[in-house]
């Protein structure tokens, strides 16, 4: 009996501590929310394209330095000679314990913002091809950065509640899926403490602000870009018999590629083969010499990806042979070495553990299981092929009223990357800071 009373007392004390901790976290967020909103709106109005995150990274680094972190800038090495690495690594050591890495992205997209918000981006710049483009945080990486800065402040102020080494990174070039690799190549895990856990969040354009979502196991697919050059023998449009028409071959290839997923791949292994671009020819009466296709290939498992890529090459070359294209004009199938990213695998145990933490912090009704998607991220690289437990969770960002309307009317909400994507800042940031801070405190809790 005495033991039971003791156990009940211990339970109640720990429950009280949890409740108190949540209350103090809420109070700290209340105190900081106005300044976080200002930061968010400032970042939203000043987006920079991938590989050009100069001012964003410098602002981000300065903020973290002010909070007491040891900050290194300019981490990241690309193969492209003109690009600089704008990666930021902020470290805070706080005694013996696990090393936890939290990642945010820094880059924005070449999208002309059409939200009409008072703080909408009006930024225009030249892209790498020299074209003038609008720039917008249409993927919400400004939400992620602001959440990270809020979390960084909480954790710096609560050093009595965690032990270990905290590594916060600002990753450039996520949209072009080469930033994580550029940071790893430049010594993210050799010059800085290698993490025991890696976590991140991404805002969701479907989920209500105030909620978070989690996906144990494969969450996002691998993505591989493929270029196909179909070469024929051009000539006069009125004399097809003296040509080998690459337009007809390209049309057949596009249709035949659809049979890879439907006929060659197991229906139990998700896969996508999309031809996103097709270009060839100049006018009505000329049969061109070549047609160029651009594909994106998605899969979860590496063996499935390999099979898809092999089938693309086999089918394309086979159709060219059937069309009588000579072997020295065979199609060239090029698998990109840079526009490629691994699947994102959320280590199930870690993911479930954090989902439990989120339920405690946000309430059961605000934590939802989200099905996997075929979109892609380069966060997966930070797990070093699933050797480091990693998880990325979804942060609801949409006005709940709009989600309800969309469900009732069937009108889809603006997606991520849309010129109309407009997260509801305050509840999103509050929830993001609370969820991320709670997650780190759980993984690094002091004994
Ligand atoms: Zn994006
Ligand atoms: Zn994104």
């Amino acid at each position: 009996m005495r033991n039971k009373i003791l156990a009940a007392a211990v339970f109640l004390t720990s429950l009280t501590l949890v409740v108190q901790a949540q209350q103090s976290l809420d109070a700290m967020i209340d105190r900081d929310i106005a300044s976080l909103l200002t930061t968010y709106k400032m970042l939203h109005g000043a987006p920079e394209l991938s590989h050009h995150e100069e001012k964003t990274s410098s602002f981000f680094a300065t903020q973290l330095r002010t909070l007491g972190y040891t900050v290194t800038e300019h981490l990241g090495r690309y193969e492209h000679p003109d690009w600089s690495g704008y990666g930021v690594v902020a470290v805070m050591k706080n005694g013996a314990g696990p090393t936890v890495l939290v990642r945010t992205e820094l880059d924005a997209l070449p999208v002309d913002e059409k939200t009409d918000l008072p703080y909408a981006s009006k930024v225009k710049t030249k892209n790498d091809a020299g074209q003038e483009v609008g720039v917008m945080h249409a993927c919400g990486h400004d939400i992620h950065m602001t959440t990270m800065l809020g979390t960084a402040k909480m954790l710096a102020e609560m050093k009595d509640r965690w032990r270990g080494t905290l590594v916060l990174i600002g990753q450039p070039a996520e949209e072009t899926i080469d930033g994580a690799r550029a940071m790893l190549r430049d010594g993210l895990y050799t010059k800085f403490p290698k993490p025991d856990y890696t976590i991140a969040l991404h805002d969701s354009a479907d989920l209500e602000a105030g909620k978070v979502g989690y996906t144990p196991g494969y969450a996002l697919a691998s993505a591989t870009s493929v270029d196909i050059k179909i070469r024929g023998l051009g000539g006069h449009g009125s004399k097809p018999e003296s040509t080998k028409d690459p337009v007809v071959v390209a049309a057949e290839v596009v249709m035949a590629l659809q049979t890879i997923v439907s006929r060659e791949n197991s229906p139990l292994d998700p896969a996508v083969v999309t031809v996103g671009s097709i270009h060839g020819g100049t006018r009505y009466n000329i049969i061109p010499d070549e047609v160029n296709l651009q594909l994106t290939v998605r899969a979860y498992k590496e063996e499935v990806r390999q099979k898809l890529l092999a089938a693309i090459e086999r089918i394309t070359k086979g159709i060219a042979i059937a069309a009588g294209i000579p072997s020295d004009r065979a199609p060239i199938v090029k698998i990109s070495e840079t526009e490629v990213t691994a699947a994102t695998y959320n280590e199930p145990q870690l993911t479930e553990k954090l989902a439990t933490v989120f339920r405690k912090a946000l309430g059961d009704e605000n934590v939802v299981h989200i099905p996997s998607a075929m979109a892609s991220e380069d966060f997966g690289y930070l797990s070093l092929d699933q050797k480091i437990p990693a998880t990325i969770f979804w942060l609801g960002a949409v006005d709940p009223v709009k989600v309800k309307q969309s469900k009732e009317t069937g009108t889809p909400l603006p997606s991520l990357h849309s010129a109309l994507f407009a997260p509801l800042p305050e509840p999103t940031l509050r929830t993001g800071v609370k969820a991320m801070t709670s997650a780190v405190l759980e993984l690094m809790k002091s004994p």
Side-chain angles (χ1 to χ4, degrees):
M1 185 64 179
R2 197 173 193 184
N3 279 351
K4 271 191 189 160
I5 292 172
L6 202 63
V10 169
F11 176 73
L12 282 176
T13 314
S14 68
L15 198 67
T16 317
L17 282 176
V18 169
V19 171
Q20 274 175 356
Q22 295 298 348
Q23 281 170 347
S24 68
L25 192 52
D26 281 333
M28 287 162 83
I29 297 172
D30 279 344
R31 179 199 65 189
D32 290 348
I33 191 69
S35 112
L36 289 172
L37 283 166
T38 307
T39 300
Y40 167 68
K41 288 174 185 172
M42 187 280 290
L43 287 169
H44 190 81
E48 291 175 300
L49 291 178
S50 311
H51 310 122
H52 302 279
E53 308 88 344
E54 186 178 359
K55 294 194 190 88
T56 309
S57 62
S58 154
F59 168 80
F60 187 69
T62 307
Q63 295 288 306
L64 289 167
R65 215 168 267 133
T66 313
L67 294 171
Y69 289 78
T70 305
V71 181
T72 305
E73 291 179 71
H74 301 289
L75 194 81
R77 210 160 0 103
Y78 300 103
E79 268 135 40
H80 196 296
D82 296 343
W83 294 339
S84 311
Y86 287 113
V88 177
V89 184
V91 179
M92 187 171 277
K93 291 191 171 158
N94 189 23
T99 297
V100 175
L101 181 144
V102 187
R103 175 270 216 163
T104 176
E105 317 87 322
L106 303 170
D107 57 334
L109 286 156
V111 171
D112 224 343
E113 178 156 2
K114 297 202 168 61
T115 62
D116 286 333
L117 289 165
Y119 51 89
S121 162
K122 294 179 181 60
V123 174
K124 299 252 185 263
T125 191
K126 287 230 160 79
N127 66 12
D128 287 336
Q131 299 152 321
E132 179 155 286
V133 290
V135 191
M136 176 186 177
H137 270 299
C139 205
H141 297 175
D142 45 357
I143 290 273
H144 308 175
M145 282 185 266
T146 313
T147 301
M148 168 123 29
L149 291 173
T151 302
K153 185 153 186 256
M154 302 291 142
L155 292 169
E157 288 176 6
M158 289 196 275
K159 281 177 87 172
D160 57 323
R161 291 196 27 212
W162 59 274
R163 289 281 173 276
T165 302
L166 183 58
V167 182
L168 307 179
I169 68 163
Q171 183 209 302
E174 186 283 322
E175 296 295 356
T176 46
I177 52 179
D178 51 353
R181 272 174 299 165
M183 287 186 82
L184 288 167
R185 199 180 292 132
D186 205 10
L188 178 60
Y189 288 169
T190 50
K191 294 179 189 161
F192 304 93
K194 193 171 159 185
D196 299 301
Y197 304 100
T198 299
I199 50 178
L201 56 77
H202 202 293
D203 60 349
S204 162
D206 308 305
L207 191 62
E208 293 96 332
K211 293 188 178 181
V212 297
Y214 68 102
T215 311
Y218 282 112
L220 298 162
S222 71
T224 309
S225 294
V226 180
D227 284 277
I228 301 180
K229 188 184 281 296
I230 293 169
R231 301 181 294 174
L233 300 169
H236 202 288
S238 67
K239 258 182 129 258
E241 72 279 15
S242 62
T243 71
K244 295 291 175 201
D245 187 348
V247 172
V248 175
V249 174
E252 275 188 55
V253 167
V254 172
M255 295 310 289
L257 292 180
Q258 309 309 312
T259 61
I260 300 174
V261 173
S262 69
R263 302 291 82 187
E264 293 193 36
N265 183 60
S266 161
L268 303 177
D269 286 325
V272 177
V273 176
T274 289
V275 180
S277 153
I278 175 164
H279 288 280
T282 50
R283 61 164 294 125
Y284 312 95
N285 58 356
I286 303 172
I287 292 171
D289 280 327
E290 62 181 51
V291 174
N292 292 293
L293 309 180
Q294 292 185 322
L295 282 67
T296 187
V297 177
R298 309 286 169 120
Y300 291 126
K301 295 182 192 156
E302 178 57 22
E303 63 263 33
V304 172
R305 174 181 169 268
Q306 292 296 344
K307 230 172 114 179
L308 300 174
L309 295 173
I312 288 168
E313 179 147 12
R314 191 193 73 238
I315 288 172
T316 305
K317 293 195 166 159
I319 290 174
I321 291 171
I325 290 176
S327 59
D328 63 339
R329 297 286 292 159
I332 299 167
V333 178
K334 194 167 161 269
I335 295 155
S336 173
E337 280 168 25
T338 46
E339 274 212 37
V340 58
T341 191
T344 302
Y345 182 77
N346 285 339
E347 202 272 328
Q349 238 182 321
L350 173 65
T351 309
E352 294 289 355
K353 185 178 187 166
L354 295 191
T356 307
V357 173
F358 297 151
R359 284 190 200 100
K360 257 191 239 163
L362 307 167
D364 287 355
E365 69 284 9
N366 290 321
V367 183
V368 289
H369 180 277
I370 303 277
S372 340
M374 299 308 282
S376 299
E377 248 285 350
D378 68 355
F379 174 69
Y381 282 112
L382 299 175
S383 76
L384 301 182
D385 248 345
Q386 302 177 18
K387 283 187 205 69
I388 300 170
T391 196
I392 185 165
F393 63 90
W394 292 105
L395 175 65
V398 189
D399 185 343
V401 177
K402 288 190 184 159
V403 175
K404 194 162 170 270
Q405 279 168 354
S406 160
K407 279 184 187 151
E408 282 166 8
T409 61
T411 314
L413 292 159
S415 62
L416 294 176
H417 293 201
S418 157
L420 295 170
F421 177 55
L424 194 62
E426 181 169 339
T428 303
L429 292 172
R430 277 181 186 275
T431 311
V433 173
K434 195 169 179 189
M436 193 53 98
T437 306
S438 306
V440 174
L441 286 176
E442 171 67 25
L443 296 176
M444 305 183 81
K445 62 185 163 203
S446 41

